[in-house]
Amino acid sequence: QVQVLQSGGGLVQAGGSLRLSCTASGRTTTSTPTLGWFRQAPGKEREFVADISSSGYLTHYADSVKGRFTISRDNAENTIHLQMNNLKPEDTAIYYCALRRYFSGRLNDIPPMADFGPWGRGTQVTVSS
């Protein structure tokens, strides 16, 4: 059984920074699985934020976070990080980490949510104006 564990988040003023971390444990097909982040704001659907490949060389970002968020991984610790800079009130959401189990679509496409699972429990990020 695979577990996705995430940490980080909190409350920050607009323009500030936060970092989220995530690790997958258990019976993964590889020791360094592709992992990604989604977020869900109140009253809105869950949306893709970023993901990073097993090697760390391939990443995808949602247009809304490009240039502000950076996803990285530390394979020695089997952990990924999402560094979020220049945060805006519209970044307020619950952030979910997930393991990417399937690889549909083209290599450079934003992956669909159906490719991901299992999911972490979510962590709240609140950006005040």
Side-chain angles (χ1 to χ4, degrees), residues 16-111:
S17 299
L18 287 172
R19 189 172 88 153
L20 305 180
S21 299
C22 174
T23 186
S25 63
R27 306 181 82 174
T28 56
T29 56
T30 170
S31 60
T32 56
T34 296
L35 292 164
W37 291 96
F38 287 71
R39 67 186 182 185
Q40 187 165 17
K44 294 189 176 181
E45 294 187 351
R46 192 171 298 189
E47 63 176 6
F48 176 82
V49 175
D51 77 337
I52 187 166
S53 67
S54 174
S55 66
Y57 289 123
L58 180 62
T59 58
H60 302 98
Y61 291 94
D63 287 344
S64 58
V65 306
K66 278 182 183 176
R68 301 187 298 122
F69 290 14
T70 302
I71 192 168
S72 62
R73 72 183 307 144
D74 180 348
N75 282 343
E77 304 231 342
N78 193 22
T79 301
I80 69 165
H81 304 288
L82 184 68
Q83 179 66 41
M84 305 182 292
N85 297 330
N86 190 21
L87 282 160
K88 303 175 181 180
E90 51 263 44
D91 294 316
T92 295
I94 298 175
Y95 284 69
Y96 296 91
C97 183
L99 183 147
R100 187 174 182 185
R101 189 179 293 274
Y102 305 109
F103 295 86
S104 63
R106 296 175 296 183
L107 188 64
N108 293 322
D109 287 348
I110 296 294

